[in-house]
Amino acid sequence: MHHWTKAGGPVITLEEVLSPRNMLQACDRVITNKGAPGVDGMTVDQCSGHFAKHGASICAHIRQGTYIPFPVRRVDIPKPNGGTRMLGIPTVQDRVIQQAIAQILTAHYDPTFSEYSYGFRTGRSAHDAIKQSTAYIEGGFRASRRVPRDAFSRFHKGTRRLREARRR
């Protein structure tokens, strides 16, 4: 059995990640998030049937260490100010595996994060961080360091892109 641990932290097993319940939840989440097909052309609508048929084999390959993720499909996305940027789109199958891992890691580690941590956390956003910062300032708290005026703008753009990528 495979274990990952951090000194004094939770033990996370591969069996926990690959449990039928977790894999089913991951598949449901990928379907809900929608998104474009990867290099194999499989759509999210085909996800449930694919995992019903091949899920045991996929999990067996992961357990044996022989699973090889598919290449990501590269797509040029237009930028608001002109030009393009490259976006990598994993296959639906690989997104389910990534989601299954993320669900277990989040369940174990999210409770250990500071209540003041907002970045890349479920149910929290840059907007929430700005609202909380505004409340502190209006409550009379002052920052001990100056934050560059465009810091929140850069942070907002990064989180917006992450959310957009997750939806695909």
Side-chain angles (χ1 to χ4, degrees), residues 72-93:
V72 287
R73 181 166 67 100
R74 301 287 179 193
V75 178
D76 279 326
I77 303 296
K79 292 168 101 176
N81 299 337
T84 61
R85 68 177 176 89
M86 193 65 79
L87 177 68
I89 302 174
T91 62
V92 170
Q93 177 174 302

Side-chain angles (χ1 to χ4, degrees), residues 21-44:
R21 180 175 182 227
N22 189 51
M23 293 298 287
L24 181 61
Q25 286 175 340
C27 192
D28 289 344
R29 182 70 183 266
V30 168
I31 292 168
T32 300
N33 290 345
K34 300 182 181 164
V39 294
D40 62 353
M42 183 193 314
T43 66
V44 293

Side-chain angles (χ1 to χ4, degrees), residues 62-140:
I62 294 170
R63 284 184 189 96
Q64 294 163 5
T66 58
Y67 181 80
I68 300 172
F70 287 87
V72 287
R73 181 166 67 100
R74 301 287 179 193
V75 178
D76 279 326
I77 303 296
K79 292 168 101 176
N81 299 337
T84 61
R85 68 177 176 89
M86 193 65 79
L87 177 68
I89 302 174
T91 62
V92 170
Q93 177 174 302
D94 288 340
R95 286 195 299 240
V96 170
I97 295 165
Q98 293 166 6
Q99 181 64 38
I101 294 167
Q103 288 171 176
I104 298 303
L105 291 176
T106 299
H108 283 282
Y109 287 103
D110 196 66
T112 68
F113 294 163
S114 167
E115 67 178 286
Y116 306 106
S117 172
Y118 290 87
F120 306 102
R121 293 182 64 194
T122 304
R124 293 175 177 237
S125 68
H127 294 289
D128 295 329
I130 292 168
K131 286 178 193 171
Q132 184 61 60
S133 298
T134 302
Y136 286 141
I137 291 166
E138 290 172 353

